[in-house]
Amino acid sequence: MASISQAPMKHNTGFVTQDDVLYPHLTVLETLTYTALLRLPKQLTKEEKIEQAEMVIMELGLTRCA
């Protein structure tokens, strides 16, 4: 059973398998946008999902790579 202090950590983390497939012909922005469009809740608009992908790029310091 998770304690109260662990709950926020579980909410902000995820599991990524080591054999995750990345498409070499897509840019960083395209890859994250593609993932956002497929995985984020349907309640979000397409524009909101794209904005989330752009925020991840900024948070990870990948702006120059995007």
Side-chain angles (χ1 to χ4, degrees):
M1 181 180 229
S3 69
I4 294 173
S5 63
Q6 290 177 338
M9 179 62 82
K10 283 188 176 188
H11 178 72
N12 292 322
T13 59
F15 175 77
V16 178
T17 60
Q18 291 297 311
D19 59 343
D20 197 25
V21 178
L22 298 175
Y23 300 100
H25 58 281
L26 296 179
T27 66
V28 172
L29 177 59
E30 290 169 336
T31 300
L32 290 175
T33 300
Y34 178 74
T35 301
L37 292 172
L38 291 175
R39 293 181 170 245
L40 290 177
K42 293 179 182 178
Q43 296 89 336
L44 295 176
T45 66
K46 181 178 179 179
E47 290 76 22
E48 290 172 321
K49 292 178 182 184
I50 292 170
E51 185 178 312
Q52 288 292 317
E54 291 170 347
M55 286 177 27
V56 168
I57 288 172
M58 288 182 5
E59 286 181 22
L60 295 176
L62 298 174
T63 306
R64 291 184 68 196
C65 301

